[in-house]
Amino acid sequence: MADAEGTWAQPGVHVADLDDLRDAAHDRAVLSEARVVLARRLGVPPGEALQHLIWLARDLDMELSEAASLLVKDGGGGPVGAVAAGRRAPRTQAGTAERQAVLSEAEDVLRRVTAEDTAGDAEILARVPDDPAARAVLDGALDASAHLVPVRGPDGDVADFLFVDLNDLVLDMFGRGREELAGRRLLQTDPGAVLSGLFDEYVDVLESGTPLERSSIQYTTAQRGLSRSSRMSVRCVAVPTGVCVTWRYHEREDRIARRLERVERLALIGFGEWDLATGEAAWTPQMLANYGLDPDQVPPMPHDLPKVVADDDLPLVEEAVQTMFSRREPVEAEHRVTGRDGAPRHLWVFAEPVLAESGLPVSINIVSQDITRRRGVERALAETRRQMLKQQERMAQERRVAVTLRRAILPDEDEVEPLPGLRIALRALAAESTARIGGDWFATRAFPDGRSLFAIGDAAGHGLPAAAAMARTRNGLLGLTCTREPAGRLVGWLNELVSSMDPPATGTAVVAQFDPRGRVLEWTCAGHPPPILIRDGRAVPMEVVRDPMLGAVPDWGYMTITTRLSPGDMLFLYTDGLVERRDADLDERIARLTGILRDCATQPESMLDDVLARMEHDRAADDTTLFALHVE
């Protein structure tokens, strides 16, 4: 016989804790699945799909987990018009083998020139007379400029050049300026002069006097195992003492051009210009790609532009062109073209006329952006939203059915069957959120021999499945009571019934039989929070045998606990909706409830009112059922 004043302190995890963990894991799994489903529909990465799911939930005014559940239940078909961005990762211009070859060749040059005797360099520099022509070149240069004098070998040929002076604008590809380069040899500091052939051209300028001018060359040099490349412009002129070289690296311009190309490629933005005087068109490669043209094709002029757009969009484009020329104002429009792959593509276009002093347009600037992916995502999102709304309506209908079923199955509080020897008070509160209506149930039955049965339980889950499981569980128990078997045997049979349900179901329950002649209570707990006994101003959770919840373990033999009650005792039964909170420990909540019951009024109705007022439970999250039974 179990001690009625024992405590529910068995080691292990409470079933309610397991339910909470299972719910949290379920929410995470649903959210992860919904993200994958939406990513497949929209043709976007999962991270972007998650952001769209958040926006959808906000747009539909629902919780993220609810929106994810709707999306998963909808089935998640394939893509609905969404397309990939049409971009590929860029490749570096020079491979590892090419860079290694440049370094190897530069190192050969450096080994050769470093081996040469430089002991006489200072003497060569000391003999260089003042050269006004060289000084004028350095002072007047707008770019980096250097005055070089030749270093001749034993045979009289020019073996190298020495830096006599440099202007303040000099900064070579390794960041060295005037102070680091003055007095040093050209090839030792910049072997690229040999690799590019410039050294031989400097020698030719020195010997022939013919100026050298190269507007744009690809220049590569190396130093200390590092290579640098850039386009450069160079000019070399002869002066009385040697040559003056003026150069400019186009690294900054090239960097800007590369950035612009990346912007075009990543954003699928193209730029173009029409010269109305010459009839010529200059379009960037991305502009051509947006209109499905090959790089070698001639771009259409403004009046020919309608010929390349989709037939349905012709009136829109023709009107935009007419407006631009007649009103001489910028225009913008969206139209479709056929891409290189034959698929339709959406372009957003902005064009503006450039006017001469006479007010007539002389050229047209045009920008286009391929927004096909965006439109595809928008269509897919719109379709997804429509399907989610339909699914939401279906679920709302299920909830209405669940509410109706709950009302039909459970009697009203004032219609509860009286039980011999007990005074009963009951509160059965459905969740305020219809989406969270669960499977709480209660049952009472008086037998002809004076004994009675009362029970409280909770079918796992929410909505129509939980309501259906609740109805079958409660009705099954009431049907089994005709056998007059002990509570443990009844719950064992009830467990088999719940285990065989389709779809599968689980739940918790406390089933008790009371004999008023000896005030003996025989009861069984199937994974349910323990009843609380209030006696002589004390309140303690009753000790339970830790039998599993219904439907969890088939063929389980449930124990029947026998507790002898006394006149004036109060039994308090409840469902987890009263004590469960995600931000609190279940044992702490049960201890709080026990303390409240210790201080509550001794009348059943007043006791239930006090508990509901002081427990601060979440009415929106779950159903809540309370049973108070006073032993007479």
Side-chain angles (χ1 to χ4, degrees):
M1 179 179 296
D3 184 0
E5 298 187 3
T7 59
W8 198 45
Q10 298 288 344
V13 180
H14 295 305
V15 171
D17 292 332
L18 293 175
D19 288 344
D20 199 39
L21 291 173
R22 183 168 58 250
D23 288 345
H26 176 266
D27 287 348
R28 288 195 297 271
V30 169
L31 183 60
S32 178
E33 184 178 353
R35 184 175 64 173
V36 173
V37 168
L38 192 56
R40 185 170 63 247
R41 273 195 181 183
L42 304 183
V44 300
E48 183 179 343
L50 178 59
Q51 184 60 67
H52 285 302
L53 179 59
I54 293 172
W55 289 335
L56 278 171
R58 184 175 59 190
D59 181 41
L60 297 173
D61 192 23
M62 62 178 64
E63 296 293 330
L64 182 60
S65 58
E66 184 183 358
S69 178
L70 284 174
L71 192 61
V72 170
K73 288 181 179 179
D74 184 51
V80 188
V83 297
R87 295 186 289 263
R88 295 292 183 270
R91 296 288 187 265
T92 55
Q93 293 182 348
T96 303
E98 183 179 345
R99 290 196 300 271
Q100 190 60 42
V102 170
L103 281 173
S104 178
E105 190 174 355
E107 289 171 357
D108 290 341
V109 174
L110 286 172
R111 279 194 295 270
R112 176 173 59 80
V113 298
T114 303
E116 295 178 356
D117 184 10
T118 60
D121 288 357
E123 184 179 351
I124 295 174
L125 291 173
R127 292 201 306 265
V128 176
D130 182 47
D131 191 336
R135 191 167 57 253
V137 172
L138 266 60
D139 291 343
L142 299 178
D143 296 312
S145 187
H147 175 203
L148 304 175
V149 296
V151 177
R152 298 185 181 274
D155 55 0
D157 293 335
V158 178
D160 209 334
F161 286 94
L162 279 171
F163 287 104
V164 179
D165 197 10
L166 306 94
N167 67 5
D168 292 334
L169 298 176
V170 168
L171 195 67
D172 75 354
M173 298 179 73
F174 294 95
R176 296 172 295 187
R178 179 179 184 179
E179 298 298 326
E180 292 89 352
L181 297 176
R184 298 187 64 183
R185 292 196 176 192
L186 171 65
L187 299 185
Q188 289 183 353
T189 59
D190 189 2
V194 172
L195 304 181
S196 63
L198 286 178
F199 176 78
D200 292 336
E201 293 182 299
Y202 295 163
V203 172
D204 185 65
V205 171
L206 175 69
E207 295 176 347
S208 67
T210 303
L212 165 70
E213 186 164 359
R214 301 280 293 275
S215 60
S216 179
I217 62 172
Q218 189 64 34
Y219 189 77
T220 302
T221 189
Q223 197 72 217
R224 293 188 295 274
L226 297 175
S227 66
R228 295 285 189 271
S229 296
S230 174
R231 279 191 316 112
M232 71 177 294
S233 299
V234 61
R235 186 171 185 272
C236 181
V237 297
V239 294
T241 56
V243 295
C244 282
V245 179
T246 302
W247 72 93
R248 178 164 61 93
Y249 297 118
H250 297 283
E251 182 180 5
R252 183 172 180 275
E253 293 91 332
D254 290 346
R255 188 184 302 117
I256 292 174
R258 286 195 299 271
R259 288 174 179 172
L260 181 59
E261 184 274 331
R262 289 167 187 164
V263 168
E264 289 192 44
R265 179 174 52 81
L266 291 173
L268 300 178
I269 294 177
F271 301 88
E273 182 179 7
W274 285 303
D275 188 327
L276 301 179
T278 63
E280 296 178 350
W283 282 16
T284 62
Q286 188 61 51
M287 185 73 169
L288 293 168
N290 284 353
Y291 276 90
L293 302 177
D294 294 326
D296 56 350
Q297 287 185 267
V298 178
M301 292 301 289
H303 292 290
D304 294 328
L305 190 61
K307 297 179 181 179
V308 298
V309 305
D311 292 341
D312 292 344
D313 297 338
L314 276 177
L316 178 65
V317 175
E318 289 173 345
E319 181 181 357
V321 172
Q322 181 62 30
T323 299
M324 184 171 55
F325 279 98
S326 61
R327 301 180 62 177
R328 300 166 190 173
E329 294 178 351
V331 294
E332 56 183 306
E334 180 182 338
H335 63 80
R336 289 163 296 167
V337 299
T338 301
R340 295 176 183 174
D341 56 359
R345 307 194 71 80
H346 292 255
L347 299 184
W348 175 86
V349 176
F350 182 89
E352 64 171 4
V354 178
L355 306 180
E357 293 183 0
S358 62
L360 297 176
V362 294
S363 64
I364 302 291
N365 297 325
I366 181 171
V367 178
S368 73
Q369 183 177 20
D370 188 337
I371 58 172
T372 306
R373 178 177 179 273
R374 185 191 313 167
R375 290 293 177 260
V377 169
E378 289 172 354
R379 287 195 304 272
L381 278 173
E383 176 63 19
T384 297
R385 184 179 185 277
R386 186 186 66 81
Q387 293 175 2
M388 288 177 68
L389 286 172
K390 291 177 60 178
Q391 182 65 27
Q392 186 181 32
E393 178 58 31
R394 287 195 294 269
M395 292 185 68
Q397 179 65 26
E398 289 184 3
R399 293 166 191 158
R400 288 192 291 269
V401 173
V403 172
T404 303
L405 181 60
R406 187 178 190 276
R407 290 173 178 170
I409 295 298
L410 299 178
D412 292 336
E413 296 170 7
D414 56 357
E415 296 177 353
V416 176
E417 182 179 8
L419 303 181
L422 297 172
R423 187 150 50 94
I424 300 174
L426 173 70
R427 296 286 188 277
L429 308 175
E432 292 179 346
S433 170
T434 57
R436 304 297 295 176
I437 288 179
D440 281 17
W441 57 272
F442 60 90
T444 59
R445 174 155 293 182
F447 300 125
D449 60 2
R451 295 186 306 122
S452 60
L453 175 141
F454 59 88
I456 189 171
D458 184 7
H462 300 91
L464 185 57
M470 173 270 291
R472 297 176 68 180
T473 302
R474 180 180 183 275
N475 291 341
L477 174 64
L478 292 176
L480 291 170
T481 57
C482 65
T483 63
R484 311 292 176 84
E485 291 292 332
R489 179 70 63 85
L490 293 179
V491 174
W493 289 337
L494 189 62
N495 177 55
E496 296 305 310
L497 172 66
V498 174
S499 299
S500 62
M501 286 185 184
D502 186 19
T506 56
T508 64
V510 171
V511 177
Q513 293 175 335
F514 181 68
D515 188 345
R517 288 165 294 192
R519 298 186 181 89
V520 175
L521 182 73
E522 295 181 343
W523 59 286
T524 297
C525 181
H528 199 84
I532 298 175
L533 175 65
I534 302 96
R535 173 183 291 172
D536 298 331
R538 300 177 59 196
V540 292
M542 299 176 68
E543 184 178 354
V544 299
V545 176
R546 298 194 63 80
D547 285 329
M549 63 194 308
L550 300 173
V553 183
D555 300 324
W556 185 269
Y558 286 82
M559 295 292 295
T560 298
I561 306 171
T562 301
T563 304
R564 190 172 298 277
L565 301 178
S566 302
D569 286 353
M570 187 86 73
L571 282 177
F572 186 84
L573 290 81
Y574 54 96
T575 57
D576 56 10
L578 180 66
V579 292
E580 272 193 346
R581 289 178 67 106
R582 289 188 180 273
D583 58 350
D585 180 74
L586 182 62
D587 285 333
E588 294 177 357
R589 294 284 293 172
I590 293 178
R592 174 183 172 86
L593 172 61
T594 303
I596 291 174
L597 290 171
R598 186 182 304 119
D599 301 331
C600 278
T602 58
Q603 299 303 314
E605 292 287 347
S606 301
M607 175 179 288
L608 297 187
D609 292 337
D610 287 347
V611 168
L612 289 174
R614 297 171 60 183
M615 272 303 288
E616 300 174 355
H617 65 296
D618 188 355
R619 282 287 307 277
D622 200 358
D623 297 345
T624 304
T625 302
L626 292 74
F627 234 144
L629 302 100
H630 183 267
V631 180
E632 297 177 339

